[in-house]
Amino acid sequence: MSAQMPADKSTDTNNPATQKLPRHVAIIMDGNGRWALKRYLPRVAGHKAGVETVRGALQFCASKGIEVLTLFAFSSENWRRPEKEVGLLMELFMTALGREVKKLHKNNIKVKIIGEKSAFNTRLQKSIHDAEMLTKDNDGLVLVIAANYGGRWDIAQATKIIASQAASGEISLSDVTPELLQTHLSLHDLPEPDLFIRTGGEKRISNFLLWQLAYTELYFTDTLWPDFNDDAFEDALSSFAGRQRRFGRTGEQVLDGA
Ligand code: IPE
Ligand code: IPE
Ligand code: MG
């Protein structure tokens, strides 16, 4: 097949329309605490500043035509933090959700929260439910907030569903494939992340989307999350645009549109 005639535009990784702009960006918003400490402020001031950055990132993604933005807000391991910080983070999540949901709805944004929601207090669970219900028919940007989320938990909860189906005879062992497991994971109804960004300098995944990041392009920056502005986001997009995604094939195959 010639380079000019890709077989299928939707899967052609060399097509500028499908390759240059990520459809789905997933971000570990790290560095709030250090941002605050540098200013001799309490850590919570960094989390508050981080909420402002979320607002900017949403606007940026919507203006670019990015389809999905997934944000890691609270990991299943973050319960290990001092009780006071956990409490303040929950409060901040609650007030930000309550305060912003109408605006998100007005901007045609669909909100989805992934993670083990049963660990949250009933008020927060209701807020989450209300935000998801209010925005469920919006067809603009999809905002996924990972809260009390862990990649290992995600795979385990999908496995639990499959195990119970196998035990009841609904499916047989030979039905258990990566494709089946994928259908029970948190982001099953969305495209896989194309670009992963971690701010704050650490180069690790910290139990974020373990399964879903299999072929995601990884981008790490020292910029602390509250400082992650449009220019910083542009830098991440430029880095992404310069990469060749091979999905196991050779570079020559990709150039040939195979
Ligand atoms: C990320 O910032 C926000 C959450 C984990 C909730 P941190 O609070 O981890 O900031 P640093 O890493 O201590 O600077
Ligand atoms: C990852 O950041 C979780 C979130 C940003 C919500 P952490 O700051 O908790 O990660 P570690 O502990 O440094 O790996
Ligand atoms: Mg951190």
Side-chain angles (χ1 to χ4, degrees):
M1 184 163 304
S2 85
Q4 285 74 35
M5 287 183 65
D8 173 3
K9 274 199 184 328
S10 64
T11 55
D12 173 22
T13 52
N14 202 34
N15 172 5
T18 51
Q19 187 204 23
K20 298 302 180 198
L21 189 72
R23 292 180 69 190
H24 182 170
V25 179
I27 306 182
I28 296 187
M29 310 181 288
D30 197 18
N32 293 348
R34 280 163 284 163
W35 182 92
L37 287 180
K38 263 174 49 184
R39 288 165 177 75
Y40 305 101
L41 294 169
R43 290 177 58 86
V44 69
H47 297 314
K48 284 186 180 155
V51 174
E52 295 306 312
T53 307
V54 168
R55 207 176 277 139
L58 272 167
Q59 254 168 31
F60 179 87
C61 288
S63 74
K64 287 277 168 190
I66 288 166
E67 295 169 42
V68 187
L69 176 65
T70 296
L71 300 174
F72 204 5
F74 191 86
S75 79
S76 43
E77 287 71 32
N78 286 147
W79 296 106
R80 294 175 183 161
R81 292 189 177 202
E83 214 178 302
K84 192 168 157 231
E85 179 164 346
V86 171
L88 287 168
L89 278 168
M90 290 297 150
E91 215 176 284
L92 195 60
F93 185 29
M94 177 85 198
T95 47
L97 201 62
R99 200 181 55 211
E100 304 291 328
V101 70
K102 281 202 186 86
K103 217 162 75 200
L104 294 170
H105 183 49
K106 221 177 85 205
N107 287 317
N108 197 23
I109 294 171
K110 181 174 179 162
V111 182
K112 195 180 150 114
I113 281 81
I114 58 168
E116 202 170 0
K117 298 171 215 174
S118 59
F120 297 133
N121 69 41
T122 43
R123 264 175 62 229
L124 184 49
Q125 287 190 47
K126 184 174 180 316
S127 255
I128 288 172
H129 178 77
D130 291 349
E132 289 182 330
M133 281 301 123
L134 179 70
T135 62
K136 72 177 175 17
D137 296 322
N138 291 344
D139 58 5
L141 177 74
V142 179
L143 168 63
V144 182
I145 301 169
N148 192 24
Y149 178 87
R152 289 175 178 172
W153 163 82
D154 202 358
I155 295 167
Q157 64 80 24
T159 308
K160 219 182 265 179
I161 297 169
I162 290 176
S164 83
Q165 289 174 342
S168 70
E170 203 179 316
I171 59 169
S172 65
L173 278 188
S174 59
D175 293 324
V176 182
T177 59
E179 291 72 25
L180 178 70
L181 200 132
Q182 197 274 334
T183 63
H184 296 296
L185 290 172
S186 293
L187 298 177
H188 65 93
D189 50 349
L190 294 169
E192 284 187 356
D194 301 294
L195 173 62
F196 160 95
I197 299 171
R198 181 173 188 143
T199 62
E202 312 298 351
K203 289 168 187 66
R204 53 179 173 253
I205 304 289
S206 299
N207 198 17
F208 194 26
L209 304 161
L210 299 180
W211 177 287
Q212 298 87 343
L213 293 178
Y215 267 102
T216 304
E217 295 298 327
L218 306 181
Y219 179 84
F220 297 93
T221 172
D222 289 338
T223 303
L224 304 172
W225 177 249
D227 294 327
F228 191 77
N229 58 17
D230 286 4
D231 288 344
F233 213 143
E234 282 289 358
D235 287 346
L237 292 186
S238 307
S239 168
F240 176 80
R243 303 193 190 182
Q244 185 189 51
R245 304 187 74 188
R246 292 194 280 274
F247 298 97
R249 290 172 294 169
T250 67
E252 289 75 13
Q253 283 177 301
V254 173
L255 288 173
D256 279 348

